[in-house]
Amino acid sequence: MISGTIVGLQARISITLYSPESTRVEIECVVDTGFEGFLTLPPAIVLDLGLPYISPIDANLADDSLITASVHQGIVLWSGVERVIPVLAMGRRPLIGTALLEDYHLSIDFCEGGTVLVDEIL
């Protein structure tokens, strides 16, 4: 089970990422159920972690604008299991999308300090 907290009306959970040199880094992310990808990280964090570049991708933003973002390969510890996932280098804050939540149950107590839980679907 992964747990987090509501801060400023944002559901936040921390995840562990591995750099290519296997350095572990914990990053607090906002859960964004409107994002269909796995994970976005600010480009500076992607650069600091040295995540391998995969390819460019066209991304459609909430304002319906289209941008080109870089896709990198990341390894995340998710519910106790290391998963290789695509990471988009874009934005100002780390976002977890619905692709990472697929086959998991998301529960949120939407009040300041409320609980965010991500658990496997039974």
Side-chain angles (χ1 to χ4, degrees):
M1 179 184 331
I2 300 167
S3 63
T5 306
I6 297 293
V7 178
L9 295 179
Q10 295 178 339
R12 297 183 185 187
I13 58 176
S14 291
I15 60 170
T16 300
L17 281 169
Y18 294 95
S19 73
E21 293 82 29
S22 298
T23 302
R24 293 172 58 131
V25 177
E26 187 167 313
I27 298 177
E28 184 178 70
C29 302
V30 174
V31 177
D32 183 352
T33 59
F35 168 47
E36 297 174 349
F38 286 85
L39 178 69
T40 70
L41 293 175
I45 293 176
V46 171
L47 184 63
D48 287 347
L49 290 172
L51 300 182
Y53 175 77
I54 297 174
S55 68
I57 187 173
D58 291 331
N60 188 12
L61 302 180
D63 66 357
D64 207 29
S65 63
L66 192 65
I67 66 164
T68 300
S70 297
V71 180
H72 297 260
Q73 179 178 300
I75 300 174
V76 64
L77 184 62
W78 185 253
S79 197
V81 177
E82 289 183 14
R83 295 179 61 183
V84 177
I85 61 169
V87 177
L88 298 181
M90 59 184 288
R92 295 179 293 117
R93 61 181 160 217
L95 299 176
I96 288 176
T98 56
L100 196 53
L101 296 169
E102 186 175 11
D103 296 326
Y104 284 83
H105 175 81
L106 172 64
S107 173
I108 301 173
D109 295 330
F110 245 105
C111 59
E112 190 65 23
T115 301
V116 179
L117 295 175
V118 178
D119 203 359
E120 293 181 45
I121 297 172
L122 300 178

